[in-house]
Amino acid sequence: MMHRRLLIALSAAAAFAPAVAMAHPGMPGHTHGFTDGFVHPFGGLDHLAAMTAVGLWAGQQAKGGQGSRAVWLWPLAFLALLVAGAVAGANGLALPGVEWGIVLSVAALGWLTAFGARLPLAAGAALIGAFALCHGAAHGAEMPADADGLAYGLGFVTASATLHLAGVALSRLAERAGLQLAPRLAGLGLAAMAPLLLAV
């Protein structure tokens, strides 16, 4: 039931993607579409790490109360602000400290997962949303000029949602198998990865 609600929520976030089309209207002979947008997040260590960490951390919140809502609300918050940042970046709006925000997001999300930290629902969503804005701005600026904005954006959001779902699923499976330490170790590994991003 919870996974169905998460899937519905993430699909709803994809509805924001058409806004990206306004940033780069389709041009005759364009070559970058859904597939390019889908592949893009998997090609960057920063995005791959942050997206997976969001899912892992959200999955750790699943037990009772507000935590059960964090499983779908936190990834949804990331996707919504990711799209907002991407639209800004694609339109040339430079956000200060974006690169540092990306590095900080990987480090912070990794550590939060490693410690199994629990935050109030709104606080967690706000933190994740701030990080998402940085990722969106950076990746929006990298969007090919000849991209079909709608198709590329849908691909990008779909891939991001897939990484969230993978993180949530891994976290929940580990919990059910009595391997609660596994997501924490994964978070520790992701946090340790953050300094490497400075050298990229």
Side-chain angles (χ1 to χ4, degrees):
M1 178 69 174
M2 182 57 62
H3 291 296
R4 180 185 295 174
R5 287 197 299 178
L6 174 61
L7 198 53
I8 292 171
L10 293 178
S11 297
F16 285 101
V20 179
M22 296 170 62
H24 283 267
M27 294 165 51
H30 68 77
T31 56
H32 297 87
F34 181 90
T35 302
D36 299 286
F38 186 87
V39 169
H40 186 82
F42 293 96
L45 187 61
D46 57 342
H47 201 69
L48 199 59
M51 280 293 176
T52 305
V54 167
L56 286 170
W57 188 36
Q60 289 178 322
Q61 314 297 309
K63 284 191 174 179
Q66 290 192 141
S68 59
R69 285 189 287 161
V71 173
W72 59 267
L73 182 61
W74 287 1
L76 182 59
F78 197 108
L79 290 175
L81 272 295
L82 178 75
V83 170
V87 171
N91 281 291
L93 181 61
L95 299 179
V98 163
E99 294 303 325
W100 282 104
I102 289 173
V103 174
L104 179 61
S105 74
V106 175
L109 291 167
W111 282 116
L112 289 165
T113 303
F115 286 102
R118 291 189 175 272
L119 292 184
L121 190 65
L127 179 65
I128 283 172
F131 289 149
L133 204 58
C134 293
H135 282 268
H139 289 280
E142 294 171 357
M143 188 164 125
D146 61 348
D148 178 334
L150 176 58
Y152 189 94
L154 283 172
F156 189 85
V157 170
T158 302
S160 300
T162 299
L163 290 169
H164 283 323
L165 286 171
V168 169
L170 288 171
S171 189
R172 301 309 305 135
L173 286 172
E175 174 78 25
R176 289 173 184 172
L179 301 171
Q180 293 89 339
L181 193 60
R184 294 182 176 234
L185 290 174
L188 192 60
L190 291 171
M193 195 184 292
L196 299 177
L197 300 178
L198 295 172
V200 175

